[in-house]
Amino acid sequence: EAQVTQNPRYLITVTGKKLTVTCSQNMNHEYMSWYRQDPGLGLRQIYYSMNVEVTDKGDVPEGYKVSRKEKRNFPLILESPSPNQTSLYFCASSPQTTGVYEQYFGPGTRLTVT
Amino acid sequence: AQSVAQPEDQVNVAEGNPLTVKCTYSVSGNPYLFWYVQYPNRGLQFLLKYITGDNLVKGSYGFEAEFNKSQTSFHLKKPSALVSDSALYFCAVRDLTNDYKLSFGAGTTVTVRA
């Protein structure tokens, strides 16, 4: 089954404790992206990647890191999480970087930072 | 800069009545427009998109949307709503001059009452 998977689905952590949220797609997509969803703000893009070893900042990159060492994986790293990073996070992928393609979304990761 | 506005936080309709979810956009060039739906505790699912051509676009689950360039709108419609259409709906836009970036609206919660 073609899908985007994220782990963990739920995470509660404390301020400053480094964490990684994994994202993997099995569709051989070139483009991958991370979003955060907050009430009243919709989805805001954190980082995106146009291919292996090619990443760029989205609208809200502060406090996050990403890497794209393999085509299928695009982990999101929070080096020192803070309470304002409590949010619902989505990973997405699409076949190519051009704009005609819709994105396929993972199930989401709900992160709480205390 | 590109942006999307969904002027209604909530839309309530009775089952069997027409459903409309409004979306307006702002881009510097020509837009690619998308609608996504999010059911509770799920990721976003693609509904339909406008790239070029016919202004009336048909999508999944009986939804359609009309692209209106003069009004910069892309309203989502369904002739006869179902209780199962109750969900959170997002409009999104890509600017052809910067087509790596997908900008989302804040979302509209649709409630269809039996």
Side-chain angles (χ1 to χ4, degrees):
Chain A
E1 178 189 358
Q3 60 183 349
V4 179
T5 56
Q6 295 178 229
N7 283 293
R9 293 289 311 280
Y10 302 91
L11 179 59
I12 300 173
T13 189
V14 296
T15 299
K17 186 176 181 181
K18 181 179 178 180
L19 66 91
T20 299
V21 183
T22 64
C23 172
S24 183
Q25 51 92 5
N26 62 1
M27 296 169 280
N28 200 36
H29 285 173
E30 290 186 1
Y31 182 92
M32 298 185 75
S33 182
W34 276 103
Y35 299 88
R36 60 178 289 173
Q37 181 181 4
D38 301 290
L41 297 177
L43 274 75
R44 294 178 292 168
Q45 190 175 45
I46 303 171
Y47 270 94
Y48 62 92
S49 170
M50 291 178 282
N51 214 322
V52 175
E53 302 291 2
V54 181
T55 64
D56 207 348
K57 297 177 181 178
D59 294 322
V60 289
E62 295 78 18
Y64 304 95
K65 286 175 56 177
V66 294
S67 67
R68 188 94 181 270
K69 293 183 170 58
E70 305 167 281
K71 199 171 187 179
R72 64 183 291 129
N73 296 323
F74 190 46
L76 179 69
I77 303 158
L78 284 72
E79 294 271 3
S80 183
S82 62
N84 64 12
Q85 292 178 299
T86 292
S87 188
L88 179 59
Y89 291 86
F90 288 102
C91 181
S93 70
S94 66
Q96 294 182 19
T97 57
T98 57
V100 301
Y101 294 99
E102 63 270 24
Q103 295 190 6
Y104 295 76
F105 284 81
T109 294
R110 187 168 292 281
L111 172 65
T112 301
V113 183
T114 60
Chain B
Q2 59 197 56
S3 65
V4 177
Q6 294 181 240
E8 299 162 317
D9 292 336
Q10 291 196 0
V11 170
N12 298 304
V13 298
E15 189 172 35
N17 281 3
L19 169 63
T20 299
V21 186
K22 295 179 181 178
C23 170
T24 59
Y25 65 90
S26 174
V27 296
S28 56
N30 290 321
Y32 292 148
L33 292 154
F34 302 82
W35 275 102
Y36 290 85
V37 60
Q38 184 180 25
Y39 297 103
N41 300 314
R42 302 284 295 276
L44 278 72
Q45 297 178 31
F46 168 74
L47 275 179
L48 51 78
K49 64 183 176 184
Y50 172 82
I51 304 301
T52 187
D54 195 345
N55 289 343
L56 184 63
V57 178
K58 294 189 183 298
S60 306
Y61 312 121
F63 284 94
E64 58 188 30
E66 185 165 13
F67 171 64
N68 187 318
K69 189 171 184 177
S70 63
Q71 296 186 2
T72 61
S73 67
F74 190 55
H75 300 332
L76 181 70
K77 299 180 180 183
K78 186 170 184 179
S80 178
L82 301 172
V83 172
S84 57
D85 293 328
S86 299
L88 181 57
Y89 291 80
F90 290 100
C91 182
V93 67
R94 253 195 175 122
D95 187 335
L96 296 192
T97 62
N98 181 19
D99 66 356
Y100 305 132
K101 178 179 169 58
L102 188 64
S103 295
F104 285 84
T108 299
T109 299
V110 170
T111 301
V112 182
R113 59 186 184 276

